[in-house]
Amino acid sequence: MLLHDTSLIFGRYVRQTVRSRFQIFFGILMPLLYLFFFGPLLTDLPLGADTDSWQVLVPGLLLQLALFGASFTGFAIIIEQSTGVVERMRVTPVSRLALLLGRVLRDALLFMFQAVLLVGAALVMGLRAPLPGVLIGFAFVGLLTVSLASLSYALAMKVRTPQEFGPVINSLTMPAMLLSGLMLPMTLGPRWLDVLSHFTPFRHLVDAVRDAYTGSYATAHMLYGVLVAVGFALLALTAGTRVFRSAGA
């Protein structure tokens, strides 16, 4: 029944997304702007590693896409609460876990599709990366989306207005972006900032995807990245499910 219910919810939101081309294509606008206008500035800069500048920037942009996109998905729940959609779902026998999984799987599919478009544009700009590394990057995007979307929906169930939701998300995503080294490797900064960034889970994901884009798979960065990504996803799904069950969502 869980698989059946999840597929129903997933199908509902996929159809909703397909009807909104604005959501599909304009969600990728910010990473593309960074790619086109910020990427060329890094071409001749010494980034402290024997890698191409695109192999440094593109993995960061992929995870930036998931970070900002998935973190704000909770706005949809707030809108559904105000229009009575959530109230109508409460009286159905559909699994509460399925209500969460159907949503986050739709989000993962959407952002992975946008990630494919981003990598395609990066290849035109000059990116060269092995296919297994590119696929590993997509997997990290999917896992990070599941994690952050679950927490975003959980938070949205606890607040009542977008005015409460937005500032909380902004106060969390901006430090995460700055401390994870999405744009540039943290090793280029002062020692204290590099050490501090290791307490941000996204730092390990960024390092892992950058290794994958250079064809290095059996590394400590990759191991830590996989452990953090999987562990974060499990914790986020657990927390999100508890909120959905307690709220009767």
Side-chain angles (χ1 to χ4, degrees):
M1 289 302 297
L2 176 61
L3 292 176
H4 177 265
D5 292 348
T6 300
S7 65
L8 286 176
I9 302 300
F10 174 75
R12 177 185 188 275
Y13 287 103
V14 165
R15 290 190 296 272
Q16 187 181 85
T17 301
V18 169
R19 290 193 294 266
S20 176
R21 294 191 180 96
F22 183 89
Q23 180 182 12
I24 294 175
F25 294 105
F26 279 83
I28 196 178
L29 182 59
M30 184 172 68
L32 283 177
L33 291 177
Y34 275 109
L35 182 70
F36 292 139
F37 300 126
F38 184 71
L41 298 176
L42 306 180
T43 303
D44 298 321
L45 292 181
L47 298 180
D50 297 327
T51 59
D52 185 87
S53 60
W54 297 111
Q55 293 172 329
V56 173
L57 178 63
V58 174
L61 293 180
L62 286 174
L63 296 180
Q64 182 196 63
L65 175 68
L67 172 62
F68 284 96
S71 296
F72 285 92
T73 55
F75 274 116
I77 284 281
I78 297 176
I79 295 172
E80 289 182 345
Q81 285 178 319
S82 64
T83 57
V85 173
V86 173
E87 187 65 29
R88 290 194 294 271
M89 285 185 173
R90 281 185 174 139
V91 300
T92 68
V94 176
S95 166
R96 294 330 186 219
L97 176 57
L99 291 175
L100 175 63
L101 286 177
R103 287 179 169 93
V104 300
L105 290 177
R106 183 281 311 265
D107 297 329
L109 179 63
L110 171 62
F111 293 122
M112 288 177 69
F113 174 72
Q114 293 178 342
V116 171
L117 297 180
L118 179 63
V119 171
L123 289 172
V124 175
M125 295 289 291
L127 170 68
R128 296 296 178 265
L131 179 60
V134 172
L135 296 178
I136 289 173
F138 293 153
F140 273 100
V141 170
L143 283 172
L144 183 58
T145 298
V146 168
S147 304
L148 295 178
S150 298
L151 296 177
S152 181
Y153 288 130
L155 175 62
M157 294 295 295
K158 294 292 187 179
V159 301
R160 288 184 262 180
T161 65
Q163 290 77 13
E164 295 174 332
F165 181 79
V168 174
I169 294 299
N170 280 323
S171 66
L172 295 174
T173 53
M174 287 305 297
M177 184 191 77
L178 296 174
L179 285 176
S180 60
L182 288 176
M183 308 308 298
L184 292 170
M186 295 302 296
T187 53
L188 298 178
R191 177 63 179 169
W192 66 269
L193 192 59
D194 185 28
V195 172
L196 182 62
S197 71
H198 282 87
F199 294 95
T200 304
F202 307 112
R203 162 71 187 271
H204 302 289
L205 274 63
V206 174
D207 289 342
V209 179
R210 283 179 176 152
D211 277 4
Y213 266 57
T214 62
S216 303
Y217 310 119
T219 66
H221 288 156
M222 185 64 66
L223 175 61
Y224 292 146
V226 171
L227 292 177
V228 169
V230 174
F232 189 33
L234 292 176
L235 288 174
L237 282 172
T238 301
T241 301
R242 287 181 177 176
V243 172
F244 266 58
R245 284 175 176 166
S246 64

